[in-house]
Amino acid sequence: MAYKRVEVPAAELERQREICAKIREGLGGARPLAFVDTYGCQQNEADSEALRGYIELMGFGFTEDENEAELIVVNTCAVRGHAEMRVLGNVGALVHAKARNPRLIVAVCGCMVQQPHMAEKIKNSFRVVDLCFGPHELWRFPELYERAARRRGRVFEVSPCEGVVAEGLPVHRQGSVKAWLSVMYGCNNFCTYCIVPYVRGRERSREPEAVLREFESLVRQGYKDITLLGQNVNSYGNDLGGKCDFPDLLRKINDIPGDFWVRFMTSHPKDATKKLFDTMAECEKVCTSIHLPVQAGSDRVLQDMNRRYTAEKYLSLVDYARKLMPDLTITSDIIVGFPGETDEEFESSLAFVRKVGFARAHVFAYSRRPGTRAYDMGDQLTNAVKEARSHEMIRVTTATQQAFFKAQIGRTEEVLFEREIQKGVWEGYSMNYTPVAVASDTSLAGEIRSVRIESCTDTHCMGAVL
Ligand code: 5AD
Ligand code: SF4
């Protein structure tokens, strides 16, 4: 596929920062509040952190209450119809906030509005929205905001695009212990059910030097659990002329001095190599957990999904990785009710989940996405069938998760604590991504402690700090 990466010139980004400074000066010392509402995946969370970075430079503070906001940005997801309906419902309801505060600016961005039919729908039926822009325009949010704020009509920037790379966006991170770091954008895989390649454009990798610089700066700021993001991190570097693939990048990151853990997601099984697992096993700061979506357990369904691996191939990866890393935690995504999925094919997905024994798996009922190949496939299943299969699949994934939790009992794990979930109960994740809760009267937030796992509930392993 001929694709030329488009890098946003540094001068352009500088101009965006200048616009932020002008907006801030225009506030004359006031500090209006902004609400950034995020739907969907971690990439969207990361995008929202860049939006917040700009918004902070514009002189705004932040709120989670739409009634006190002067600016509301809704960062949307298009992966499933359900999330889209929820967004539209919530955006529609903003008419009340706007009636109370006519100066309120409402922006809707992200994957949902990159679909032409959705941008049209917002233009025609959601007059409350002042500004609408797709993921490729995020780097010029200040300019778009300024245009919308001047109120010379509504602003829609949602043209098709193969994708840009913008280095040096300001980032306002939510946490102080865990951080997201995008290493690449877009996807070339065109799984037949998935809208992502259409809305996020073609794969483009950030230069390793840029990733390493950002990683080092996160370590200096005290972040301890850093997750590298990409729709398919295993094809990182394919567009960089062979100078650095994903395992190479992991190794360079592992060499950065400091106390931190590094995770990554998502991995596509067709591109997961022995080199990846060898590198994970050898690099002590790379966590022993992998999110490896299998999607289905039947080869016929996998083929119609255009996944380009078989159930057998997936199992051989799991075998190889578990031999190297007996403690490896494997999590997954499963789609049930893909067009034409028979009872037997669904059974083979259930059997597959049991066989691998996923530590956790997200179960998704197939959602028909306009513009994708699966949309036009015959034999679309009814909602009733999809729901029944979801319930059954969730029963099985809950059971494999419990089995995984029970297998942790008696082990001692390093746990990075994050927050108090009830009075005196602190929650964190172990290096192998087990959710762990312990009792403690003093704050454990941001601390890494050795914990002996003693029991488990439906949602956590319970233990005691040593
Ligand atoms: N319907 C249901 N689930 C989907 N996913 C992606 N597209 C769809 C769809 N059309 C799921 C996949 C993917 C996860 C992020 O979302 O399982 O791994
Ligand atoms: Fe969608 Fe497949 Fe790309 Fe993942 S790899 S974003 S499921 S097309």
Side-chain angles (χ1 to χ4, degrees):
M1 202 172 301
Y3 165 67
K4 192 171 171 316
R5 51 190 278 137
V6 180
E7 308 215 0
V8 178
E12 268 301 316
L13 287 170
E14 195 43 47
R15 196 168 70 81
Q16 299 301 322
R17 285 175 184 257
E18 284 161 13
I19 297 173
C20 290
K22 240 181 28 215
I23 295 170
R24 191 175 58 237
E25 283 157 24
L27 295 176
R31 197 157 185 271
L33 298 177
F35 175 30
V36 180
D37 197 9
T38 311
Y39 293 76
C41 67
Q42 285 77 15
Q43 182 57 55
N44 252 19
E45 296 286 345
D47 285 351
S48 285
E49 293 184 339
L51 284 166
R52 285 197 192 88
Y54 271 139
I55 292 170
E56 187 173 40
L57 289 182
M58 284 161 35
F60 283 65
F62 295 103
T63 175
E64 304 273 295
D65 176 357
E66 60 196 38
N67 292 313
E68 54 177 32
E70 299 285 314
L71 164 63
I72 297 178
V73 187
V74 186
N75 189 4
T76 64
C77 170
V79 165
R80 275 163 296 133
H82 179 72
E84 290 191 335
M85 297 312 291
R86 221 156 41 96
V87 165
L88 290 178
N90 292 348
V91 169
L94 291 177
V95 290
H96 305 297
K98 190 111 165 189
R100 276 189 296 271
N101 174 11
R103 282 180 321 173
L104 172 66
I105 299 242
V106 175
V108 180
C109 64
C111 293
M112 184 179 96
V113 299
Q114 186 67 38
Q115 306 169 95
H117 70 280
M118 275 295 176
E120 242 352 77
K121 186 172 188 139
I122 289 184
K123 200 177 255 172
N124 298 330
S125 315
F126 291 81
R127 301 290 311 174
V128 69
V129 176
D130 303 290
L131 165 61
C132 196
F133 60 97
H136 309 292
E137 314 292 342
L138 188 148
W139 65 271
R140 58 193 192 105
F141 172 72
E143 164 192 343
L144 302 178
Y145 167 83
E146 194 195 31
R147 259 162 59 197
R150 272 197 264 119
R151 299 273 184 213
R152 296 218 192 97
R154 304 160 79 203
V155 177
F156 279 75
E157 292 285 350
V158 287
S159 322
C161 177
E162 292 205 318
V164 296
V165 178
E167 284 300 342
L169 296 184
V171 180
H172 175 98
R173 290 195 156 82
Q174 292 285 74
S176 53
V177 181
K178 276 171 105 161
W180 311 116
L181 197 172
S182 300
V183 299
M184 61 187 299
Y185 310 98
C187 181
N188 288 355
N189 292 317
F190 291 93
C191 301
T192 56
Y193 50 81
C194 186
I195 195 69
V196 168
Y198 300 90
V199 291
R200 289 230 173 232
R202 297 291 67 72
E203 282 173 5
R204 56 254 184 232
S205 308
R206 293 178 66 193
E207 290 289 340
E209 293 74 22
V211 173
L212 293 172
R213 262 200 314 276
E214 187 170 349
F215 201 103
E216 283 163 354
S217 125
L218 290 172
V219 172
R220 273 199 305 277
Q221 292 167 63
Y223 287 96
K224 293 198 174 113
D225 186 339
I226 301 167
T227 303
L228 309 179
L229 296 179
Q231 301 299 338
N232 174 15
V233 291
N234 295 332
S235 50
Y236 174 83
N238 285 356
D239 54 338
L240 295 177
K243 69 175 168 190
C244 181
D245 66 8
F246 188 64
D248 297 336
L249 183 71
L250 278 180
R251 206 175 278 281
K252 288 180 206 278
I253 287 174
N254 193 66
D255 288 342
I256 293 175
D259 245 348
F260 60 83
W261 296 346
V262 55
R263 307 181 189 276
F264 54 88
M265 69 190 298
T266 293
S267 289
H268 195 307
K270 85 174 161 59
D271 300 313
T273 54
K274 289 187 172 167
K275 181 176 173 187
L276 172 73
F277 294 116
D278 294 345
T279 307
M280 288 174 75
E282 284 162 23
C283 292
E284 72 286 356
K285 295 172 191 169
V286 177
C287 291
T288 45
S289 71
I290 188 164
H291 186 60
L292 198 62
V294 66
Q295 313 296 4
S298 131
D299 288 343
R300 201 284 303 169
V301 174
L302 286 172
Q303 186 165 12
D304 278 8
M305 288 177 164
N306 190 33
R307 291 292 288 178
R308 288 175 278 174
Y309 54 82
T310 59
E312 196 53 46
K313 155 92 196 284
Y314 188 102
L315 288 175
S316 71
L317 285 176
V318 168
D319 269 356
Y320 182 84
R322 282 186 169 154
K323 279 203 184 95
L324 275 178
M325 295 170 279
D327 298 340
L328 180 69
T329 299
I330 303 173
T331 59
S332 203
D333 294 341
I334 318 280
I335 295 178
V336 301
F338 185 77
E341 184 188 65
T342 63
D343 284 336
E344 292 72 38
E345 287 165 342
F346 173 61
E347 290 291 331
S348 63
S349 286
L350 292 173
F352 194 87
V353 169
R354 286 197 199 93
K355 185 157 189 175
V356 177
F358 292 116
R360 191 169 49 250
H362 306 285
V363 177
F364 300 104
Y366 169 70
S367 171
R368 201 174 175 190
R369 305 284 66 213
T372 61
R373 273 169 42 214
Y375 185 90
D376 295 317
M377 289 180 182
D379 205 4
Q380 302 277 334
L381 305 185
T382 62
N383 284 340
V385 168
K386 290 193 270 189
E387 256 168 54
R389 287 185 183 171
S390 276
H391 284 135
E392 202 169 341
M393 182 58 85
I394 288 170
R395 269 219 313 279
V396 171
T397 58
T398 308
T400 62
Q401 175 171 316
Q402 269 301 299
F404 171 79
F405 283 174
K406 290 209 170 103
Q408 308 301 305
I409 295 174
R411 294 167 50 109
T412 298
E413 289 286 339
E414 298 281 285
V415 175
L416 173 56
F417 285 96
E418 289 172 34
R419 59 192 189 115
E420 194 174 27
I421 48 172
Q422 294 166 28
K423 181 120 192 65
V425 181
W426 290 82
E427 178 196 57
Y429 282 89
S430 68
M431 194 180 200
N432 74 358
Y433 211 54
T434 307
V436 176
V438 303
S440 167
D441 294 336
T442 55
S443 170
L444 291 175
E447 309 265 333
I448 296 182
R449 294 291 176 82
S450 286
V451 174
R452 202 182 134 79
I453 310 290
E454 292 166 341
S455 63
C456 59
T457 65
D458 286 350
T459 54
H460 291 84
C461 283
M462 310 294 293
V465 174
L466 293 182

